[in-house]
Amino acid sequence: MNTYDAVIIGTGQAGPFLAQRLTGAGMNVAIIERKSFGGTCVNTGCIPTKTMVASAYAAHIARRAADFGVLAGGVSVDMKRVKARKDTVSGNSRSGVETWLKKMERCTVYQGHARFESPREVSVGSERLTAERIFINVGGRAAIPQMAGLDQVEYLTNSSMMNVDFLPRHLIVVGGSYIGLEFGQMFRRFGSEVTIIEMGGRLIQREDEDVSAAIKEILEREGINVRLNATCIGFAKRGEDIVARVDCTRDAPEVGGSHLLLAVGRRPNTDDLGLERAGVAVDQRGYVVVDDQLRTSVPGIWALGDCNGKGAFTHTSFNDAEIVAANLIDNDPRRVSDRITTYALYIDPPLGRAGMTEAEVRKTGRPALLGKRLMTRVGRAVEKGETLGFMKIVVDAQTREILGAAILGTGGDEVIHSILDVMYAKAPYTVIQRAMHIHPTVSELIPTMIGEMQPL
Ligand SMILES: Cc1cc2nc3c(=O)[nH]c(=O)nc-3n(C[C@H](O)[C@H](O)[C@H](O)COP(=O)(O)OP(=O)(O)OC[C@H]3O[C@@H](n4cnc5c(N)ncnc54)[C@H](O)[C@@H]3O)c2cc1C
């Protein structure tokens, strides 16, 4: 029996940072990883996909070179080199996490599948570890939907996409949300024909309708075929091809392609963790039930990251670790409900989001002001030749606090932080109008947009 002050299951975006904080506070910590150090973000999520998005952007700009007066020859993409570049960036990050943990003082690394044996006991292979504090950071994996004929065809997920070192002739992507759109645009830019099939009436349905419509237009301009309202999705093999039945209200009822990517959501890795032996409660979808400070139903056990259903991003998982460490070590009662929703969609141009959508604000019925500006009216975007998209902001007309913003345009993933930080400061929007911004930037037009706000 190995006894520790704390056991951490999983080395995703919360576990390693938490290990550093706990060992730094003098605790002996065991951390367990069953597969790849760094988890989803490092190996099959953010880092490899954004590396590939960068390759796709390079191909796109190379094709547009003449628009900028640059005469380059024909553009072709070497998928083996795209993958090799991705493998290097992702591999460096993975080994960075592994080395960090293995060199961490007072930290013992176990490699293998962890299972609860009791509320204070976890097994890894033949080892038994006990601790008064156990932290679950097991993340999630691609959900495989129940769709007719799926057992008849081969399909890819975000994980197996990482091994693709060839150009699919025609990639069918099922799922019109973040993961599906990023892969869809990237492979279109690499040279594949791409069809995105979405069951709903619009792409990225959690966003405002104008955002969804603009994203659809951006993708269609590049020749991506978007099929919405696909109410009857099914698959069959026809010769070398995979045929997806779409049954849309209009257009052809079938789409034939060479490869199929499923991007219809994620599910938590909680089904093989022995949670029942510890008495840890999960909800109907398998997410660990936690309170505002990420404590589970069992005292002494916490759940962080994607597996608690409180967030589905690297930054929410990392923030979970900050919250737990603040409460346990710093006597600082931080809470999940203190954080403001924020994320980005990494198509090009990217979407940066903070706070409420316009639709959510409308639902509250509160008096609000809305500012909106097309990227065609942002000098920096014009100069860069990247004028697709728009930005908008919604503020409370009475308190003057910013309620939410969406920046779909060049630099949107970075620019959104200038609004996010003001939201955290709970400062009135007028502060932004008094700040002197750098010219020429996208951010310099935020005060102008604010100055043109109208009642919602
Ligand atoms: C294609 C894709 C792109 C993404 N892009 C972005 C992005 O751009 N920005 C962003 O913020 N987020 C992005 N995400 C989401 C992000 O990757 C996740 O939100 C983040 O990785 C969650 O981290 P985590 O800490 O919850 O767990 P994970 O990173 O999933 O790590 C969990 C770890 O636990 C291990 N594990 C699981 N069960 C056990 C067990 N029983 N025993 C031992 N070890 C176990 C796993 O092997 C894994 O290493 C993306 C996701 C995908 C799929």
Side-chain angles (χ1 to χ4, degrees):
M1 189 73 85
N2 303 293
T3 302
Y4 294 92
D5 296 309
V7 167
I8 300 171
I9 307 174
T11 65
Q13 294 304 304
F17 172 75
L18 187 62
Q20 187 179 45
R21 289 299 321 273
L22 297 176
T23 54
M27 293 186 207
N28 287 314
V29 173
I31 190 162
I32 311 162
E33 175 53 57
R34 71 175 175 190
K35 205 168 173 210
S36 306
F37 286 92
T40 308
C41 179
V42 165
N43 298 288
T44 59
C46 343
I47 292 179
T49 56
K50 268 80 257 184
T51 307
M52 291 166 78
V53 162
S55 291
Y57 180 73
H60 178 68
I61 288 297
R63 285 191 196 101
R64 288 190 55 205
D67 294 353
F68 300 90
V70 176
L71 301 182
V75 176
S76 61
V77 176
D78 180 340
M79 287 304 294
K80 289 204 173 2
R81 286 169 73 171
V82 169
K83 179 176 177 292
R85 178 174 181 274
K86 179 270 292 176
D87 287 344
T88 302
V89 175
S90 171
N92 287 345
S93 185
R94 177 169 57 248
S95 55
V97 174
E98 181 172 359
T99 311
W100 177 32
L101 287 171
K102 288 186 171 167
K103 287 195 171 160
M104 198 179 283
E105 234 181 290
R106 286 187 285 278
C107 182
T108 308
V109 176
Y110 289 86
Q111 285 179 260
H113 183 98
R115 266 191 194 82
F116 277 93
E117 299 298 333
S118 75
R120 293 284 171 272
E121 207 179 338
V122 171
S123 63
V124 197
S126 57
E127 307 263 14
R128 293 264 170 142
L129 320 182
T130 57
E132 286 302 304
R133 301 168 198 84
I134 301 179
F135 303 92
I136 306 168
N137 178 217
V138 292
R141 60 185 186 273
I144 307 303
Q146 301 268 329
M147 283 175 178
L150 204 49
D151 53 344
Q152 312 290 312
V153 297
E154 282 180 30
Y155 59 81
L156 295 152
T157 65
N158 69 290
S159 297
S160 45
M161 281 302 279
M162 296 297 111
N163 303 323
V164 171
D165 64 353
F166 56 88
L167 193 66
R169 177 172 45 78
H170 184 164
L171 181 65
I172 300 173
V173 180
V174 178
S177 199
Y178 305 86
I179 294 173
L181 299 191
E182 289 178 13
F183 276 117
Q185 189 189 44
M186 140 196 346
F187 274 85
R188 178 68 192 139
R189 290 180 169 194
F190 291 150
S192 297
E193 197 178 328
V194 172
T195 300
I196 296 174
I197 299 175
E198 164 58 44
M199 292 174 92
R202 58 191 175 90
L203 298 174
I204 306 228
Q205 300 191 55
R206 71 198 269 184
E207 302 305 334
D208 284 326
E209 284 185 28
D210 53 356
V211 173
S212 292
I215 288 172
K216 181 166 177 280
E217 198 190 319
I218 287 166
L219 298 176
E220 286 179 335
R221 279 172 79 112
E222 293 190 26
I224 294 173
N225 184 16
V226 178
R227 302 294 303 268
L228 302 174
N229 299 306
T231 47
C232 180
I233 302 176
F235 306 95
K237 190 97 183 129
R238 195 173 296 157
E240 289 292 291
D241 272 13
I242 295 166
V243 178
R245 190 177 63 224
V246 183
D247 198 20
C248 295
T249 44
R250 57 196 179 94
D251 303 329
E254 283 187 349
V255 178
S258 59
H259 294 80
L260 171 66
L261 166 64
L262 297 178
V264 292
R266 312 269 304 159
R267 57 174 293 195
N269 290 328
T270 52
D271 45 341
D272 52 3
L273 197 53
L275 286 174
E276 62 292 344
R277 279 183 241 167
V280 172
V282 294
D283 69 13
Q284 283 171 339
R285 295 185 304 151
Y287 289 98
V288 180
V289 177
V290 289
D291 67 11
D292 211 11
Q293 294 181 327
L294 303 165
R295 295 172 290 212
T296 69
S297 55
V298 177
I301 304 181
W302 290 256
L304 303 86
D306 285 12
C307 69
N308 66 24
K310 296 264 181 196
F313 297 101
T314 280
H315 46 276
T316 48
S317 179
F318 187 80
N319 186 247
D320 283 359
E322 291 182 316
I323 289 168
V324 169
N327 280 286
L328 279 179
I329 302 166
D330 305 334
N331 196 24
D332 175 5
R334 289 177 66 174
R335 291 168 187 279
V336 177
S337 52
D338 293 339
R339 68 189 180 205
I340 297 168
T341 302
T342 190
Y343 49 83
L345 162 69
Y346 290 90
I347 59 161
D348 171 43
L351 168 71
R353 278 272 298 110
M356 298 167 85
T357 61
E358 179 188 334
E360 284 168 345
V361 175
R362 281 184 192 280
K363 248 186 235 159
T364 66
R366 72 219 286 177
L369 302 172
L370 170 77
K372 191 167 173 179
R373 192 173 190 89
L374 294 176
M375 283 293 157
T376 47
R377 296 179 62 220
V378 173
R380 179 76 169 137
V382 175
E383 290 143 17
K384 290 172 80 177
E386 299 187 358
T387 51
L388 296 178
F390 63 87
M391 51 187 182
K392 68 174 174 177
I393 190 165
V394 191
V395 308
D396 187 304
Q398 275 159 0
T399 65
R400 299 193 297 172
E401 277 187 24
I402 300 168
L403 300 172
I407 302 185
L408 174 64
T410 182
D413 52 329
E414 299 288 349
V415 176
I416 194 71
H417 289 88
S418 64
I419 293 175
L420 183 65
D421 290 341
V422 176
M423 291 173 77
Y424 270 105
K426 296 193 185 305
Y429 66 81
T430 45
V431 166
I432 301 183
Q433 291 178 299
R434 300 296 288 264
M436 183 178 72
H437 285 184
I438 296 168
H439 172 78
T441 58
V442 174
S443 307
E444 74 176 327
L445 269 305
I446 291 174
T448 313
M449 172 173 67
I450 286 174
E452 294 169 355
M453 287 189 304
Q454 298 291 326
L456 193 63

